[in-house]
Amino acid sequence: MQTIYWILIFLGTFFFMEFMAWFTHKYIMHGFLWSLHKDHHHKDHGSWWERNDLFFVFYALVSIGCFLLWEYKDVWFTLPIGLGILAYGIAYFTVHDIFIHQRFKIFRNADNWYAKGIRRAHKIHHKHLGKGDGENFGMLIVPFKYFKK
């Protein structure tokens, strides 16, 4: 019986992280921590690293904290939570940093309806250079209108 709970917690965490990414992006990155996110919209630096990457580090630390609770305090449900956060982080990094922003030059020729819709929505998001008036703050789930031709 615990296996089904483990799977449900893992999947629930993964999908909840899309909401967390949207919320963090809209209200924190484009809000009071715009100073950390701004360099992602304004490429005014020559570094591969962006201050914006600190948000990724934050969620990695939350995931690691879950693993530590599982390992040292025997809190079983923190393992699927930590793995769900980790899996979402891998998906986010793959889609956002590798596929969309081409930090690594792979997945350049993805040409299916989902890939086109995600790219289109993210391009619209980056049209707004300031912290206000933005749209499309999610990553893996974006409005259906961006999937139409």
Side-chain angles (χ1 to χ4, degrees), residues 40-144:
H40 182 64
H41 284 265
H42 299 273
K43 299 294 182 188
D44 57 358
H45 56 84
S47 174
W48 183 81
W49 174 262
E50 298 176 347
R51 288 182 303 277
N52 181 66
D53 294 331
L54 289 172
F55 294 105
F56 183 78
V57 171
F58 169 77
Y59 282 111
L61 291 173
V62 172
S63 181
I64 291 167
C66 289
F67 297 146
L68 293 173
L69 282 171
W70 167 72
E71 176 68 24
Y72 295 107
K73 298 294 182 184
D74 199 31
V75 184
W76 73 268
F77 60 86
T78 60
L79 178 60
I81 291 172
L83 289 172
I85 294 168
L86 172 64
Y88 185 83
I90 291 168
Y92 187 98
F93 182 78
T94 302
V95 170
H96 183 262
D97 291 292
I98 296 175
F99 174 66
I100 293 174
H101 288 290
Q102 291 292 301
R103 281 180 130 172
F104 301 101
K105 307 301 181 200
I106 55 176
F107 303 130
R108 289 180 149 187
N109 300 322
D111 197 26
N112 62 61
W113 68 273
Y114 180 74
K116 287 179 180 178
I118 294 295
R119 269 196 178 137
R120 202 173 287 127
H122 202 75
K123 185 175 183 177
I124 295 297
H125 174 76
H126 275 269
K127 280 179 60 176
H128 303 280
L129 297 178
K131 81 181 219 179
D133 298 325
E135 57 184 290
N136 303 318
F137 294 96
M139 177 49 52
L140 302 177
I141 302 171
V142 298
F144 184 70

Side-chain angles (χ1 to χ4, degrees), residues 17-35:
M17 285 304 296
E18 175 67 8
F19 166 76
M20 286 303 298
W22 171 85
F23 181 87
T24 302
H25 193 180
K26 183 170 181 149
Y27 294 107
I28 296 174
M29 293 177 178
H30 282 259
F32 68 95
L33 288 180
W34 172 250
S35 61

